[in-house]
Amino acid sequence: MRLLWITVCALTLGGGAAVSQDASFTSPRLGFFKAGVLCAQDSGETRAAPDTVAGTTHVIDEAPPFVSPGPGVPAVIGIGFGVRAGLKGDFGQDGVTMTVTHPPFTGAGKGATRQSFVTSLSTSQSPSITFYQFDYPYELALGEWRMTAEAAGEILYQVSFTVVPPAALPELANACGYQDLLS
């Protein structure tokens, strides 16, 4: 499992800040919100995340582009899904708790249905990204996955994705070149 986050994204996101209609909820404090499916990338740096199955999150230098706006996600090792978001104004928010709820994991996942870690959220001029990436077969739990970002008791955003068998989304399952890893 890789829960990934990036504090400052140096990518040009184009089109101005907008709140996605795919989101279950976005706070009026957000100036940018985009959810989607992406291709995995390697990470060398990790941060402690004791309330996750792996115990760490990976930190990336550059946010990968979304290959689909979601919410459908093929259950394929190497596929990821998540949110690029930023707050209005000149200041970000530290101490954001990111919670991911999902169907029960099997095997090495020990029946886990919830994972969380603390991160930060940048501004809409330089949005942060947080996403979940499938690294292990036990993570390929079909059904609804929900990502919630909360700070000081306030929900900043909440979005749902639906993980489906690869055959249900064959083009997306092959979009990242992981077709040999189809599960």
Side-chain angles (χ1 to χ4, degrees):
M1 174 254 332
R2 286 189 197 176
L3 287 169
L4 295 114
W5 64 276
I6 185 169
T7 302
V8 177
C9 173
L11 299 177
T12 301
L13 298 171
V19 176
S20 168
Q21 293 181 11
D22 294 337
S24 299
F25 173 79
T26 55
S27 167
R29 292 182 55 203
L30 290 180
F32 184 91
F33 181 92
K34 187 173 183 180
V37 179
L38 50 84
C39 297
Q41 71 180 60
D42 290 327
S43 164
E45 185 181 348
T46 61
R47 293 220 191 325
D51 197 19
T52 64
V53 173
T56 60
T57 60
H58 293 264
V59 180
I60 59 173
D61 294 326
E62 290 187 32
F66 290 125
V67 296
S68 171
V73 181
V76 175
I77 299 294
I79 294 284
F81 54 95
V83 172
R84 196 173 282 128
L87 295 170
K88 294 176 183 174
D90 295 331
F91 301 100
Q93 173 77 53
D94 290 331
V96 175
T97 299
M98 178 62 58
T99 303
V100 179
T101 57
H102 49 77
F105 286 166
T106 60
K110 306 173 191 98
T113 60
R114 180 193 166 283
Q115 302 179 68
S116 67
F117 65 99
V118 177
T119 188
S120 59
L121 191 59
S122 295
T123 66
S124 60
Q125 293 80 26
S126 186
S128 305
I129 187 164
T130 302
F131 61 96
Y132 193 96
Q133 176 178 308
F134 295 131
D135 289 327
Y136 304 104
Y138 68 82
E139 296 175 304
L140 302 175
L142 302 180
E144 183 179 352
W145 287 61
R146 182 173 300 260
M147 299 181 79
T148 304
E150 182 178 347
E154 175 189 6
I155 294 178
L156 300 172
Y157 65 79
Q158 187 171 68
V159 62
S160 293
F161 296 90
T162 303
V163 176
V164 298
L169 295 169
E171 289 181 17
L172 188 52
N174 292 321
C176 301
Y178 303 126
Q179 60 269 21
D180 293 336
L181 299 174
L182 288 178
S183 303

